[in-house]
Amino acid sequence: MHIPSCESTELELLGFDEALDGRSFEGYDPERWLYVPDHYSDYRYILGTRGVNPLICIGINPSTAAPDALDNTLKSVERIAKGNGYDSFIMFNVYAQRATNPDDMDRIPNGFLHAENMKAFRYILSNVGEGHTPAVWAAWGTVIEKRPYLRDCLYDMLEIGRSYGARWLSVGKRSKKGHPHHPLYLRSDAVTEDFDIDAYLEVIK
């Protein structure tokens, strides 16, 4: 479990560029893993494996997973990516604050944390290998309803995705309100399908 010690505005946060330049690599192989910041903290911008054609999974916010210590959600993400022909996976989140229980997330969004998280999203999309379309897997389930600001964060991600020609995908059955399925409890042979993110955002306004 990770329970935030305080509102994220009370923390000394590293910006994305500074966090990306970290060199501590706490017991993991940086040639295999992309982990930003490169140590366990109260926030996380990116966790994934390195490759040219990643499946970029989008959750709501990070929990306890770290390199070589994936939780069940990340293990499922890794299986789905491999099963659908991707050479790697990236776990990204709409909001970067760690909280195993989303009810513990910031009540009011941290503007700095959000802006730096969007830098991280641009970085991920810009580093997809030449000849590959960024594949963005919407996988946040109904948790998007936990905070009103999460929808606003998602709108920003949509605009960034457009500038990189991202293709949005989902896996599994969607909820009655149209929310995409969370990675847990998906079959290992589940396949990705196109996800109309524009229509979805109209529905959840």
Side-chain angles (χ1 to χ4, degrees), residues 124-143:
I124 292 167
L125 297 179
S126 68
N127 279 277
V128 171
E130 186 176 353
H132 296 287
T133 299
V136 181
W137 171 14
W140 47 78
T142 61
V143 187

Side-chain angles (χ1 to χ4, degrees), residues 12 18 22 33 39 45 50 52-53 56 62 65 67 75 77 79 101 113 128 170 177 193 198:
E12 291 187 14
E18 185 179 0
W33 294 99
H39 56 277
Y45 296 121
R50 296 184 184 273
V52 298
N53 185 29
I56 304 162
K75 289 176 182 177
V77 170
R79 286 194 300 269
N101 184 346
L113 185 61
V128 171
S170 67
K177 292 185 179 180
E193 57 185 47
D198 293 280

Side-chain angles (χ1 to χ4, degrees), residues 14 38 44 49 71 79-80 93-94 105 118 129 177 183 188 191 195 198 203:
L14 293 176
D38 62 353
R44 189 187 75 210
T49 52
D71 58 20
R79 286 194 300 269
I80 296 296
N93 289 280
V94 177
M105 283 192 296
M118 293 303 97
K177 292 185 179 180
S188 59
V191 298
F195 181 65
D198 293 280
V203 169

Side-chain angles (χ1 to χ4, degrees), residues 54-75:
L55 180 58
I56 304 162
C57 181
I58 311 297
I60 287 298
N61 70 302
S63 184
T64 60
D68 298 316
L70 300 183
D71 58 20
N72 288 335
T73 294
L74 270 291
K75 289 176 182 177

Side-chain angles (χ1 to χ4, degrees), residues 111-127:
F112 175 81
L113 185 61
H114 171 62
E116 296 305 306
N117 201 40
M118 293 303 97
K119 287 183 183 178
F121 192 48
R122 290 187 186 92
Y123 174 85
I124 292 167
L125 297 179
S126 68
N127 279 277

Side-chain angles (χ1 to χ4, degrees), residues 59-201:
I60 287 298
N61 70 302
S63 184
T64 60
D68 298 316
L70 300 183
D71 58 20
N72 288 335
T73 294
L74 270 291
K75 289 176 182 177
S76 181
V77 170
E78 187 173 40
R79 286 194 300 269
I80 296 296
K82 183 177 180 180
N84 281 271
Y86 296 91
D87 69 352
S88 51
F89 75 91
I90 296 288
M91 189 71 217
F92 184 75
N93 289 280
V94 177
Y95 197 64
Q97 182 189 30
R98 277 193 201 265
T100 300
N101 184 346
D103 287 330
D104 293 327
M105 283 192 296
D106 290 335
R107 293 288 172 180
I108 297 172
N110 182 329
F112 175 81
L113 185 61
H114 171 62
E116 296 305 306
N117 201 40
M118 293 303 97
K119 287 183 183 178
F121 192 48
R122 290 187 186 92
Y123 174 85
I124 292 167
L125 297 179
S126 68
N127 279 277
V128 171
E130 186 176 353
H132 296 287
T133 299
V136 181
W137 171 14
W140 47 78
T142 61
V143 187
I144 192 79
E145 299 178 1
K146 290 289 184 179
R147 298 285 187 269
Y149 63 75
L150 294 171
R151 291 188 293 273
D152 296 331
C153 296
L154 194 54
Y155 279 111
D156 290 344
M157 291 177 61
L158 174 60
E159 292 304 315
I160 294 168
R162 282 196 180 111
S163 67
Y164 288 94
R167 178 188 179 193
W168 286 82
L169 306 166
S170 67
V171 180
K173 187 177 180 180
R174 296 168 199 166
S175 75
K176 290 182 179 179
K177 292 185 179 180
H179 298 309
H181 202 292
H182 189 275
L184 279 177
Y185 312 120
L186 289 171
R187 290 170 55 98
S188 59
D189 60 353
V191 298
T192 61
E193 57 185 47
D194 287 327
F195 181 65
D196 190 338
I197 186 70
D198 293 280
Y200 169 75
L201 288 174

